[in-house]
Amino acid sequence: MAAVTMASVISVSLLSESEFGCEHLATQLGQDPGVAEQFKASFIKAHNALAPHPKSLETALKQNPAPRASTLLKPKYMCLTCADTCLSNERKAHADKTGHSFYMESRGRLLYCQGCEDFVYDYGLERLRSSPPESALEVAKKRRFSDSSSDELYIRSNATKRPCAKTGVRGLFNLGQTCYLNVILQSLLHDPILTTYFLGNGHQIHDCNANDCIGCAVAEAFADFNSSEKPEGFAALNLLLASWRASPTLAGYQQQDAHEYYQFLVDKLHASTEGHNDSHKGGCSCFFHKTFYGKLRSSVTCDKCGNITRTEDPMVDLSLDVQVQAKKRAMGGNGTSPPTLSGCLESFTSPEKLMADVYNCSGCGNTPQKATKQLRIKKLPAILCMQLKRFEHTFSVSEKLEGRIDFPMSINMLPYTTNPNSKVDKSRFIYDLSSAVVHKGKLDAGHYYVYCRQGDQWALFNDDQVTAVTEADVLNADAYLLFYNLRSLASPRS
C-alpha cells in the first residue's frame, strides 16, 4: 500500500511540474492561492513597467557619452518580489541575499528562474499577460487546465521533466543596422581554430596598449560568448565602437556589406598582432596571416610567343562570379538548374582570353599582344571564405541575383590549385562548411542572418534570435558568404 501511495505522489508531482514552467513555479503557483495571486500580480506589474524594446545605441550614447561596455545595452533583470533590477551576473547574489528567485528580463520580458538558472515558459502566465486588462483577472482565476481539453490532458500526461540549465549558443543584439557585423562575428565565434586562439594564449587584452584595438574587442567577444552563463544574447558594443573609430565609412547606422566588413576585420586582426608584416609579401608568420590569408597566382601566356608572366598576390577570400555561371547555364539550356559552387570555382580558375589592348608582352618587345590569363590558388588558408557575387553593377543598372547556389558540406580544393593533378594526399585539401551567411532583401535595403555549425548541429542566428535547424535547411539557403575550415591542419597547403 505504501508503494502505491508513493507512486501516486510522484505522479502528481510530475503532472504539476509539466503544467507549470518549472518545479519552482509549481511550488509558487500551485499551492497557497494567496501566494499565487500575489505572484501573478507582481508578474503583470513587472511586465507593464518594462519597456517592450531596449533603447537604441544612439540614444544611450547621447545620455552617457562615456558608457561602460560591460553595462550598456546589457539586459536588466527585475525581481518580481521586490522590483529591484540587476545584471545577469548580479542575480545570484541578490537571490542568496533575499531568497527571491524569479526575475523578468528587460528585453523580451521573459521569465527567469534563478533556481533553474534558466528562462522558463509558463502557459498560464503567458495567457495572463496576453489578455486585455479587463479579462486578466478572469484568466488568473482559470489557472488550472480544463479537464475537458484532451490536448492539454495529453500534454500533462506525457510531459517529462528536463534539466533546466541551458547550454549552447548565444545570439547578438542588433545595435542599429549592425546585422552585417553580427553575422561575421558569429562565423568567427563558431570557428574552432579561433576559439582555441582567443581562449588560449592568443591576443592578451591586459598586455595590449593600442587604442581601440580590434583584436582586444574580438577577444572580449569570445570571452563573453564562451562565459559560463549562456541563456541570453549579448551586445558586441566594444567591437562596434572600435570598428567605427578605425573606419569612417563604417561609422553610423547606414547599412554595410558583410563581405567588406569581413575583409576589414581580418585586416585589423592581422594588424593587431605583434611582429606582423604589413606588406603580406615578406612571409608573415603571425597567427592571423596563417589562418586567413592564402596566395593566388596569376599566369598570363602570350598567344604569339608563349612567354609566361606570373604574379602572386595574397588573398583573404575568393570572390566567385555567380552571374557568369548563371548566364552560362541559361545559354546551355540548363537555366532551370541552379548554379553550383564547383561550377563557380571552375569558371574562376579557367583560362580567360585577353585582348591586345590590355597586355604588353615582354617577350615581344613590350608590344601589345593577345594573351590567355589563368588564376590558380598557390596557397590555401586554414579558414577559407568564398563570396558568391550576387551583386552586379553596370553603368546603367545595379541588380542582385536571387536564388539558391548549390554548395556542399565538404569540398576538395585540390582541382583549383597550381598543382591540380599532383599525386598527393587529397585529404590535405578537404574543407568542411562551418558557416553560411545569407542576405535577404534588395541592394540598398536588406538583412543578414547566418547558419553556423555548433558541434554536430546547426543553428540559425538572426541577430539575438537563435533557432535549431537541420543540415538540409543550411544547404537550401541562398548563401552569400561561405566559410569552410580545413579538415586537417597537420600538412602544408600549397
Side-chain angles (χ1 to χ4, degrees):
M1 181 68 180
V4 174
T5 302
M6 180 60 71
S8 300
V9 171
I10 294 174
S11 176
V12 170
S13 176
L14 288 176
L15 287 176
S16 179
E17 289 175 19
S18 64
E19 177 182 347
F20 296 93
C22 70
E23 57 187 316
H24 307 99
L25 270 178
T27 303
Q28 191 79 18
L29 296 174
Q31 305 298 322
D32 187 293
V35 174
E37 292 304 314
Q38 184 177 358
F39 183 87
K40 293 170 185 174
S42 299
F43 179 86
I44 291 298
K45 184 177 180 180
H47 170 82
N48 294 335
L50 291 172
H53 300 291
K55 292 185 296 184
S56 70
L57 177 61
E58 187 174 16
T59 303
L61 289 176
K62 286 181 179 178
Q63 294 177 354
N64 187 1
R68 290 184 59 189
S70 60
T71 58
L72 185 60
L73 295 181
K74 294 286 186 179
K76 306 296 189 302
Y77 292 82
M78 177 180 286
C79 177
L80 296 189
T81 305
C82 64
D84 284 352
T85 58
C86 55
L87 296 174
S88 61
N89 60 348
E90 299 167 342
R91 282 193 314 259
K92 187 177 186 303
H94 180 77
D96 292 341
K97 180 180 178 181
T98 63
H100 304 162
S101 299
F102 297 98
Y103 302 83
M104 186 171 290
E105 186 260 349
S106 62
R107 289 183 175 277
R109 289 179 289 182
L110 306 175
L111 181 63
Y112 187 92
C113 174
Q114 188 61 37
C116 298
E117 295 186 354
D118 194 8
F119 290 103
V120 293
Y121 174 85
D122 182 80
Y123 175 78
L125 291 177
E126 290 303 314
R127 287 185 62 195
L128 183 61
R129 68 170 165 187
S130 62
S131 303
E134 60 273 12
S135 62
L137 184 60
E138 292 302 316
V139 172
K141 291 180 179 179
K142 299 178 181 179
R143 176 63 185 84
R144 293 280 174 183
F145 283 129
S146 169
D147 291 336
S148 62
S149 171
S150 59
D151 290 339
E152 291 172 347
L153 284 174
Y154 177 83
I155 293 173
R156 289 175 55 187
S157 301
N158 292 275
T160 57
K161 184 179 178 181
R162 66 167 181 82
C164 286
K166 180 181 178 182
T167 59
V169 295
R170 303 179 70 184
L172 286 163
F173 293 120
N174 193 315
L175 304 179
Q177 299 232 45
T178 59
C179 56
Y180 68 93
L181 180 150
N182 288 352
V183 294
I184 297 302
L185 182 56
Q186 283 288 9
S187 298
L188 302 189
L189 290 171
H190 285 85
D191 186 277
I193 301 173
L194 298 176
T195 299
T196 301
Y197 174 83
F198 280 108
L199 298 186
N201 295 318
H203 191 88
Q204 298 298 313
I205 298 175
H206 301 295
D207 296 334
C208 181
N209 297 318
N211 293 325
D212 301 316
C213 176
I214 295 291
C216 289
V218 174
E220 289 175 3
F222 269 88
D224 203 348
F225 180 81
N226 291 283
S227 62
S228 59
E229 188 177 319
K230 301 181 179 180
E232 71 277 333
F234 67 103
L237 178 60
N238 273 351
L239 179 58
L240 177 65
L241 295 179
S243 299
W244 283 6
R245 289 164 181 153
S247 173
T249 59
L250 291 176
Y253 293 99
Q254 63 272 22
Q255 191 176 77
Q256 303 290 343
D257 181 72
H259 175 239
E260 292 177 358
Y261 185 72
Y262 171 74
Q263 294 177 321
F264 160 84
L265 195 59
V266 169
D267 181 65
K268 293 302 179 182
L269 285 173
H270 176 258
S272 71
T273 308
E274 186 176 353
H276 70 278
N277 189 329
D278 287 325
S279 69
H280 295 286
K281 296 182 179 180
C284 182
S285 60
C286 82
F287 168 81
F288 293 112
H289 192 277
K290 291 180 178 178
T291 302
F292 289 111
Y293 288 89
K295 191 175 291 185
L296 202 61
R297 174 184 287 178
S298 172
S299 301
V300 180
T301 305
C302 177
D303 289 352
K304 182 178 181 180
C305 71
N307 178 59
I308 301 177
T309 303
R310 292 190 178 93
T311 57
E312 294 182 355
D313 295 292
M315 70 171 197
V316 72
D317 55 57
L318 293 175
S319 291
L320 307 177
D321 197 333
V322 182
Q323 299 277 1
V324 171
Q325 259 299 297
K327 291 172 183 176
K328 282 184 177 180
R329 297 180 77 84
M331 288 187 294
N334 296 319
T336 57
S337 60
T340 64
L341 179 63
S342 59
C344 293
L345 285 166
E346 288 169 7
S347 295
F348 183 79
T349 56
S350 294
E352 173 190 359
K353 291 295 183 181
L354 299 179
M355 301 306 295
D357 58 345
V358 298
Y359 172 71
N360 293 330
C361 177
S362 59
C364 298
N366 288 323
T367 57
Q369 299 292 338
K370 292 183 179 180
T372 302
K373 178 182 178 180
Q374 186 171 27
L375 294 175
R376 286 276 175 178
I377 301 171
K378 170 65 177 175
K379 182 180 179 182
L380 285 159
I383 299 174
L384 177 60
C385 172
M386 289 188 270
Q387 178 205 23
L388 303 175
K389 295 170 63 177
R390 293 179 172 274
F391 308 107
E392 185 175 52
H393 303 279
T394 64
F395 291 109
S396 59
V397 67
S398 293
E399 60 180 354
K400 175 189 173 186
L401 176 69
E402 300 285 359
R404 185 168 58 89
I405 292 94
D406 278 335
F407 56 91
M409 279 290 167
S410 299
I411 188 169
N412 176 17
M413 292 299 295
L414 179 61
Y416 316 109
T417 64
T418 51
N419 298 302
N421 301 314
S422 58
K423 304 295 182 180
V424 297
D425 183 4
K426 293 184 179 180
S427 64
R428 294 166 48 193
F429 298 87
I430 300 298
Y431 283 75
D432 297 312
L433 184 69
S434 60
S435 298
V437 174
V438 177
H439 177 272
K440 283 296 183 183
K442 299 179 180 180
L443 287 171
D444 54 350
H447 179 66
Y448 289 102
Y449 55 86
V450 60
Y451 297 89
C452 294
R453 185 192 297 272
Q454 175 75 11
D456 294 330
Q457 305 297 320
W458 284 89
L460 168 61
F461 295 85
N462 187 354
D463 290 330
D464 59 316
Q465 301 298 312
V466 183
T467 309
V469 295
T470 65
E471 189 175 287
D473 294 327
V474 179
L475 295 176
N476 284 326
D478 298 343
Y480 172 53
L481 297 176
L482 297 171
F483 291 89
Y484 284 87
N485 275 76
L486 186 66
R487 183 176 296 178
S488 173
L489 297 175
S491 304
R493 304 166 302 282
S494 60

